[in-house]
């Protein structure tokens, strides 16, 4: 028995002598059964609904020509559209659903009706769009497709607090060996966040105004990044201070900020940073102040001393005067870029306090002459 599903391209799908299930999906497919009692599903015919692009709410669909949007007496809303069908044909509806956090709704639910019969009920417990699918069988006559909002039930996700400028939910993290309940950022919020001198702010681009998220800063933090693994903000302290628990903070310490603007000291890192961001694995990558080094901080792991697990590496930062290319190493792997000869021995240039090899010094000097600048060291 073969169970074959095509793609959205033009596929050729061949059955076997047994009872097969062959699904064409999109594209101009050639689906052929053979022996056996086969179940064959042909091509999709494209989107049969009108005015489905660039709309994400009932109010958006209300201004279109093909959807009829109605406010119901129980406070809910529905939208409907008439669809012509073929008798016996199977129709599949695929749509995305999310809670409208921008309207203060931490949850959302909708039911789908075909000719007044409920054929599916779906719920979203956060602001991240999820794809839902439902199907029905045509009758050969036009039918009415309805999407209707309903009251959500108790969801499986965390309870979202909508009382503050930033919607949040409680989560437990480890701070200095102790468990602390902090406010994580609820997903799907249409906000722009900025940390100003350690204070978390919410920026409204329409009014060009800031709203303080919660507490005033007790420590100045920079090198900020948002960690999508736990929905919290992390940064590096650039001045001494104390966190929201009263713990002392020293320059270079890793600081965690929650959605209420509270700060938590997670331990020391190698250096201060003003430039940082997260990767998709929960690592904060931060540059040293002069960009000569960068570090990778795994904010979820600890070393043997209980401090954030950190790896430090050299950078390839190059400034306008070509004085900082590699610290204690050769840009051209110890060979002159002109004749390929190896450098003889390291030379120390007091003007930049770095170790250089002869070939790199020759290279810098030639570039400076070509650009009509003073030679290196003069």
């Amino acid at each position: 028995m073969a169970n074959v599903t095509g793609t959205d391209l033009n596929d050729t799908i061949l059955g076997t002598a047994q009872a097969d299930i062959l699904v064409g999906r999109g594209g101009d497919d050639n689906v052929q059964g053979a022996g056996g009692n086969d179940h064959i599903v042909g091509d999709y015919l494209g989107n049969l609904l009108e005015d489905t692009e660039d709309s994400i709410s009932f109010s958006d669909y209300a201004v279109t020509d093909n959807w009829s949007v109605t406010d119901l007496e129980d406070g809910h809303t529905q939208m409907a559209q008439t669809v012509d069908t073929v008798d016996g044909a199977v129709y599949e509806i695929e749509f995305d659903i999310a809670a409208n956090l921008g309207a203060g709704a931490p949850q959302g639910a909708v039911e789908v009706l075909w000719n007044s019969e409920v054929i599916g009920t779906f719920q979203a417990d956060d602001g991240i769009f999820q794809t839902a699918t439902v199907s029905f069988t045509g009758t050969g006559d036009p039918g009415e497709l309805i999407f209707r909002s309903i009251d959500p039930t108790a969801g499986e996700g965390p309870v979202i607090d909508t009382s503050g400028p930033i919607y949040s939910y409680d989560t437990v993290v480890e701070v200095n060996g102790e468990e602390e309940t902090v406010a994580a950022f609820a997903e799907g919020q249409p906000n722009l966040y900025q940390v100003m001198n350690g204070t978390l702010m919410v920026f409204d681009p329409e009014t060009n105004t800031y709203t303080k998220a919660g507490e005033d800063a007790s420590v100045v933090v920079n090198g900020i990044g948002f960690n999508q693994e736990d929905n919290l903000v992390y940064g590096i302290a650039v001045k001494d201070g104390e966190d929201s628990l009263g713990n002392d903070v020293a320059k270079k310490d890793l600081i965690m900020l929650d959605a209420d603007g509270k700060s938590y000291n997670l331990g020391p890192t190698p250096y201060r940073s003003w430039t940082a961001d997260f990767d998709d694995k929960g690592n904060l990558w931060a540059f040293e102040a002069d960009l000569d080094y960068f570090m990778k901080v795994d904010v979820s792991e600890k070393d043997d001393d209980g401090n954030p697990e950190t790896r430090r590496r050299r950078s390839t930062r190059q400034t306008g005067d070509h004085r900082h290319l590699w610290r204690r190493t050769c840009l051209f792997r110890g060979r002159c870029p002109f004749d390929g000869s190896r450098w003889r021995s390291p030379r120390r240039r007091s003007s930049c306090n770095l170790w250089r090899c002869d070939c790199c010094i020759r290279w810098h000097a030639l570039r400076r002459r070509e650009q009509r600048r003073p030679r290196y060291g003069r």
Side-chain angles (χ1 to χ4, degrees):
M1 175 180 177
N3 189 340
V4 183
T5 300
T7 68
D8 290 333
L9 303 178
N10 300 333
D11 304 315
T12 297
I13 302 176
L14 303 178
T16 67
Q18 301 177 1
D20 304 318
I21 299 177
L22 310 176
V23 181
R25 294 183 65 86
D28 186 10
D29 300 327
N30 181 6
V31 183
Q32 299 180 17
N37 186 15
D38 299 329
H39 182 101
I40 298 178
V41 180
D43 290 345
Y44 290 151
L45 298 178
N47 190 1
L48 302 181
L49 299 176
E50 302 292 340
D51 290 332
T52 59
E53 301 295 331
D54 303 323
S55 298
I56 59 174
S57 66
F58 286 112
S59 59
D60 291 338
Y61 288 104
V63 299
T64 65
D65 295 330
N66 291 283
W67 290 97
S68 174
V69 179
T70 305
D71 293 327
L72 306 178
E73 294 181 355
D74 58 1
H76 289 290
T77 306
Q78 73 174 28
M79 63 182 192
Q81 185 173 148
T82 300
V83 181
D84 293 328
T85 66
V86 175
D87 186 22
V90 177
Y91 296 83
E92 183 177 279
I93 308 166
E94 183 177 282
F95 60 97
D96 296 331
I97 180 173
N100 189 357
L101 295 183
Q107 291 180 300
V110 64
E111 61 182 9
V112 183
L113 298 86
W114 173 247
N115 286 335
S116 302
E117 179 183 350
V118 176
I119 58 175
T121 301
F122 306 91
Q123 178 166 319
D125 295 323
D126 56 42
I128 303 300
F129 278 102
Q130 304 290 336
T131 300
T133 304
V134 66
S135 62
F136 62 88
T137 302
T139 61
D141 298 319
E144 186 178 46
L145 178 67
I146 297 176
F147 289 84
R148 178 184 297 159
S149 67
I150 58 176
D151 292 327
T153 60
E156 298 180 356
V159 177
I160 298 179
D161 181 4
T162 61
S163 61
I166 300 177
Y167 295 169
S168 63
Y169 61 91
D170 288 343
T171 187
V172 177
V173 299
E174 182 179 325
V175 179
N176 297 325
E178 301 290 336
E179 289 189 346
E180 294 288 342
T181 300
V182 302
F185 292 69
E187 296 180 325
Q189 298 182 69
N191 293 334
L192 179 64
Y193 308 114
Q194 187 172 352
V195 178
M196 305 175 66
N197 292 324
T199 300
L200 179 63
M201 309 290 287
V202 182
F203 179 69
D204 186 343
E206 295 184 358
T207 61
N208 287 332
T209 58
Y210 286 95
T211 302
K212 187 171 63 176
E215 293 189 0
D216 290 323
S218 58
V219 60
V220 179
V221 184
N222 220 308
I224 300 295
F226 182 82
N227 185 12
Q228 298 185 49
E229 293 291 308
D230 58 12
N231 294 326
L232 293 166
V233 172
Y234 295 81
I236 309 299
V238 296
K239 291 184 179 180
D240 296 339
E242 65 177 27
D243 66 9
S244 297
L245 299 177
N247 299 317
D248 291 335
V249 174
K251 291 180 293 187
K252 308 178 185 178
D253 285 348
L254 177 67
I255 304 299
M256 180 184 70
L257 297 174
D258 70 0
D260 292 334
K262 295 180 180 180
S263 58
Y264 302 87
N265 186 4
L266 301 184
T269 67
Y271 42 73
R272 294 185 297 172
S273 175
W274 279 262
T275 306
D277 204 354
F278 272 91
D279 61 19
D280 59 354
K281 297 179 176 62
N283 299 309
L284 179 67
W285 294 80
F287 280 92
E288 189 186 18
D290 60 5
L291 303 184
D292 285 332
Y293 292 91
F294 63 91
M295 62 180 172
K296 182 180 77 169
V297 183
D298 188 341
V299 299
S300 63
E301 297 294 334
K302 302 290 185 181
D303 59 20
D304 294 338
D305 297 324
N307 297 321
E309 186 174 299
T310 304
R311 293 186 179 183
R312 184 185 183 194
R313 299 181 181 180
R314 301 181 188 274
S315 172
T316 58
R317 196 261 304 187
Q318 178 176 334
T319 62
D321 63 2
H322 312 289
R323 291 175 60 185
H324 302 279
L325 291 173
W326 282 92
R327 290 209 175 203
R328 298 184 182 275
T329 188
C330 174
L331 177 64
F332 297 100
R333 301 181 182 274
R335 291 187 178 274
C336 176
F338 305 108
D339 56 21
S341 61
R342 282 192 170 277
W343 55 276
R344 296 184 299 278
S345 62
R347 287 175 55 184
R348 185 177 178 81
R349 302 293 295 188
S350 60
S351 59
C352 68
N353 201 32
L354 300 178
W355 289 93
R356 297 292 183 200
C357 65
D358 289 342
C359 71
C360 287
I361 293 173
R362 290 170 57 188
W363 173 247
H364 296 327
L366 178 61
R367 291 191 66 179
R368 288 176 177 277
R369 286 197 297 272
E370 290 178 342
Q371 297 173 4
R372 299 181 182 274
R373 294 180 178 177
R375 290 192 61 178
Y376 186 51
R378 296 186 178 182

